[in-house]
Amino acid sequence: MTAAVASVRGRERERFSLAGGEVVVYDCEDPADARWAAWLGPWHMAHALFYNPEWESADIVETFSRVTWNDTPEGLTADAGRRFDLSTAIYLTTIAGVGTMKVEAKRTEVNKIPKWRGYSAASGEIWRLPAPPSGQETPFLLVTDTAMVTLFPWDAPKQGQQGVSARAAAGTPETAADFLSKVKRVEWKS
């Protein structure tokens, strides 16, 4: 939550309960014409940017109410039932000392797979992606039979702790590559 608020340079606007969790709304500085809102469950959060004119509390409640949230220690799922179609589903998790890992269904992201051969690992094939223009560390891509995993290296702190790791190699591309090469299995089931 702290990293997301910092990325939009947000100022808290309001906070209210919704569907077993809490919604927090922030006015953004980046992008300046948006509000960032997050539904916070007991373990995880779902978030989105909202733009004028559909950025009032009623619009945010309507968006977050389109699905039934099931938040467990193992992950957060959203069920749209028969009324709506979820167009995108991803899983994000932070790994202390390694970075942020994003998991998506392979079938929806096959165009992201490089045309050249990657490193053969226990769970699939790994590529180092081009460096982002933001100056952040180069992400890695792991492709398995059913999933696409993007790992963004940074010195992620342990849950509930601020700061950086004591380990010198924390958050480096080398640590990220080593972590991905040791992953035994990643599956996407939906």
Side-chain angles (χ1 to χ4, degrees), residues 93-168:
T93 190
T94 303
I95 302 155
V98 177
T100 300
M101 187 169 73
K102 177 174 76 170
V103 183
E104 304 169 88
K106 181 179 175 181
R107 70 180 181 284
T108 61
E109 301 297 329
V110 291
N111 59 338
K112 291 182 180 178
I113 301 173
K115 304 292 184 229
W116 64 92
R117 184 130 176 87
Y119 173 76
S120 187
S123 60
E125 201 167 351
I126 301 173
W127 290 268
R128 189 170 186 170
L129 299 176
S134 64
Q136 295 172 322
E137 291 290 351
T138 303
F140 288 85
L141 177 69
L142 166 66
V143 179
T144 71
D145 291 339
T146 59
M148 303 253 324
V149 178
T150 308
L151 182 57
F152 302 91
W154 65 288
D155 190 6
K158 291 181 179 163
Q159 186 173 0
Q161 294 180 346
Q162 296 288 338
V164 295
S165 302
R167 202 173 76 206

Side-chain angles (χ1 to χ4, degrees), residues 10-16 23-28 34-36 55-57 60:
R11 183 179 47 81
E12 188 173 320
R13 178 180 187 82
E14 61 185 311
R15 185 179 288 253
F16 50 88
V23 173
V24 186
V25 181
Y26 289 84
D27 287 325
C28 301
R35 288 187 181 146
W36 179 78
W55 65 349
E56 299 300 327
S57 297
I60 294 166

